Amino acid sequence: MKLLLLGATGLVGSRALKLALSNDTFLEVIAPTRRVLPQSEKLVNPVNSSLEELAPILKSYKLDAVICALGTTQVKAGSKEAFRHVDYELPILFGQAARAVGVETYAVVTAMGASSASKSFYYRTKGEVEKAIQDIGFRSLTICRPSIIGGERNEARAIETAVLTLARLLAPILPKKFHVNPADVIAAALLDAVVVPKLGCHWIYADEMN
């Protein structure tokens, strides 16, 4: 099958890319990015500083499924608008473009606590993107809602590092849903969801990805 992977330079996306490239199920992995990825035999890597400009070319790839691991923080993005562009607008744009060319399977990472009614801008955005993707009408939609994501990042995030450390220290007394979710486990869940797609919309919660 041919897979579109969004967010291939991120923590979860990079793990998903590695797993997909080593999995014989995937004949080709199309991973649009803002910076060039290391070359691989099955990898197609369209590069553009504005990812949205790559959405119209999807029809040329004859895709079977989409995995969206796009995500940032407001601090890193620089503003609420820039954060929403990455975490809401791009997942929807590529989802709509993929569905328009016949793709029926989509898997996405949001966050535990995602809710369109949340007072938190972060969790409200995550909830809104879940709802908007459901409205696109994929035959199979999987939404992963991890807690704290564990793994080595390309960039330092002081607050997340502190939270990870605290979560690991408190793990024996914390409910399972608040345990650290390893990026590799989340990535594997995403791949499983598109390799063996289930009809309808399904959520994978944090306590299932420990």
Side-chain angles (χ1 to χ4, degrees), residues 79-175:
S79 67
K80 285 185 175 181
E81 292 75 16
F83 166 78
R84 188 173 175 83
H85 178 68
V86 173
D87 281 58
Y88 179 88
E89 293 174 5
L90 288 178
I92 300 308
L93 175 66
F94 278 94
Q96 291 172 334
R99 189 70 192 94
V101 295
V103 177
E104 296 186 333
T105 304
Y106 191 107
V108 62
V109 182
T110 60
M112 184 176 72
S115 170
S116 58
S118 176
K119 293 182 179 179
S120 161
F121 177 74
Y122 178 85
Y123 292 112
R124 186 167 66 252
T125 300
K126 294 295 188 181
E128 289 172 351
V129 78
E130 287 189 2
K131 184 178 184 304
I133 291 172
Q134 290 178 68
D135 290 343
I136 293 173
F138 287 99
R139 186 172 183 272
S140 175
L141 173 61
T142 300
I143 299 171
C144 289
R145 284 187 176 180
S147 177
I148 305 162
I149 302 176
E152 186 176 346
R153 294 184 182 275
N154 293 326
E155 80 281 354
R157 293 185 182 179
I159 294 177
E160 290 187 8
T161 300
V163 172
L164 276 168
T165 301
L166 183 61
R168 290 187 175 113
L169 287 172
L170 297 177
I173 61 173
L174 285 174

